[in-house]
């Protein structure tokens, strides 16, 4: 059974940092695309950052590319999102997601429960 467990969310002031972690199990980590998505109240879910195992590419949303960094630890079956210079507009529920076809897209196959990130102004 594929499981994704996200953690690390919380309340932080604008300009602060948080590091999200996602522990994955039930699949061969190297073979899957894995990444972070977020959904703010009243908005559609958006891809924040994702690693495609098919070609090794890493994608970032335009709004975060210079502030966030995704990384993975294959030995620990984990993926991380370091978020710096946080802004109130980063407030959202953040989800870890994975896809067996190795490509990052909005229709990721597996989703974990989200972790709330709240950035106060």
């Amino acid at each position: 059974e594929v499981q994704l467990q996200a953690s690390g969310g919380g309340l932080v002031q604008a300009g602060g940092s948080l590091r999200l972690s996602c522990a994955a199990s039930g699949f061969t980590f190297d073979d899957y695309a894995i990444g972070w998505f977020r959904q703010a109240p009243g908005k559609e879910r958006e891809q924040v950052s994702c690693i495609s195992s098919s070609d090794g590419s890493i994608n970032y949303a335009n709004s975060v590319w210079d502030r966030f960094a995704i990384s993975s630890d294959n030995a620990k079956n984990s993926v991380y999102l370091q978020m710096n210079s946080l802004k109130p507009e980063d407030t959202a529920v953040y989800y870890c997601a994975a896809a067996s076809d190795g490509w990052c897209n909005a229709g990721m196959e597996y989703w974990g429960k989200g972790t709330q990130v709240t950035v106060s102004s």
Side-chain angles (χ1 to χ4, degrees):
E1 179 186 6
V2 172
Q3 291 189 339
L4 300 165
Q5 181 64 50
S7 61
L11 173 64
V12 64
Q13 288 188 333
S17 298
L18 282 174
R19 186 181 189 232
L20 304 184
S21 299
C22 175
S25 62
F27 62 95
T28 304
F29 192 76
D30 299 16
D31 294 341
Y32 279 52
I34 189 161
W36 293 94
F37 293 70
R38 70 185 180 186
Q39 188 165 21
K43 294 188 177 181
E44 292 187 356
R45 186 167 58 196
E46 64 170 341
Q47 179 178 298
V48 178
S49 183
C50 194
I51 304 171
S52 293
S53 61
S54 294
D55 64 358
S57 62
I58 297 176
N59 301 321
Y60 289 97
N62 289 336
S63 58
V64 308
W65 69 271
D66 57 344
R67 300 182 294 120
F68 292 7
I70 192 170
S71 61
S72 63
D73 186 334
N74 289 353
K76 295 183 178 180
N77 281 9
S78 294
V79 64
Y80 309 96
L81 186 68
Q82 178 66 43
M83 305 186 295
N84 300 324
S85 302
L86 283 160
K87 303 176 180 180
E89 51 264 43
D90 294 318
T91 295
V93 178
Y94 284 69
Y95 298 90
C96 179
S100 61
D101 65 2
W103 295 105
C104 295
N105 55 68
M108 298 289 273
E109 197 170 347
Y110 301 102
W111 294 85
K113 293 182 180 179
T115 184
Q116 176 72 47
V117 172
T118 303
V119 185
S120 62
S121 58

